Amino acid sequence: MPNTRIVGVDIDAEPARVEADVVTFAKEVSILLDIPFDKAAVEVIAGHAGPAYGVPHEATIEAIRLAGRLEALPLDPVYSGKGLAGLIALIRQGRWRKEEDVIFLHTGGEPALFAYQSALGI
């Protein structure tokens, strides 16, 4: 996997903290997989936090509904929903070619769905 790039989506308007987390997790995975890790392969994209931390915006709600409808994949509006919304935005911007493989790493958070029922219309 020498050409693998790791793209983190900043979901809380703290890109430096998100980058530190992404680097930490990527290092741990590289150890588990026994592959080299290069911090230069990590990029964090800002601008997908929405109006504030924990406040879902239209792109987040769209991503949650899309993942649920097409993949039965539950996402929360605080982390994974905003992360997928960022991924969708990057795809729509042409970040990757159709023949490239993109993996979305689900980070959990489904229990938060219960706190956001009215905002999500569920």
Side-chain angles (χ1 to χ4, degrees):
M1 300 183 339
N3 296 322
T4 300
R5 303 269 316 140
I6 301 166
V7 179
V9 175
D10 176 27
I11 51 79
D12 62 5
E14 295 184 30
R17 186 202 54 79
V18 171
E19 182 177 359
D21 288 348
V22 171
V23 167
T24 297
F25 296 137
K27 283 181 185 177
E28 291 175 10
V29 169
S30 72
I31 292 167
L32 289 172
L33 296 176
D34 194 28
I35 58 174
F37 170 72
D38 181 4
K39 184 180 175 191
V42 173
E43 175 184 8
V44 171
I45 308 292
H48 298 282
Y53 175 80
V55 178
H57 58 312
E58 191 55 42
T60 300
I61 294 169
E62 175 194 8
I64 291 169
R65 290 182 176 155
L66 185 68
R69 187 175 67 249
L70 296 179
E71 301 294 333
L73 180 66
L75 303 175
D76 74 284
V78 179
Y79 295 107
S80 58
K82 287 187 180 186
L84 185 61
L87 176 61
I88 290 169
L90 292 170
I91 290 169
R92 288 177 176 161
Q93 293 167 8
R95 172 69 187 246
W96 296 281
R97 296 182 313 273
K98 287 186 178 190
E99 65 272 8
E100 290 182 288
D101 294 319
V102 176
I103 298 171
F104 174 71
L105 181 61
H106 192 307
T107 58
E110 293 84 10
L113 284 171
F114 298 105
Y116 289 87
Q117 287 178 322
S118 61
L120 299 174
I122 57 174

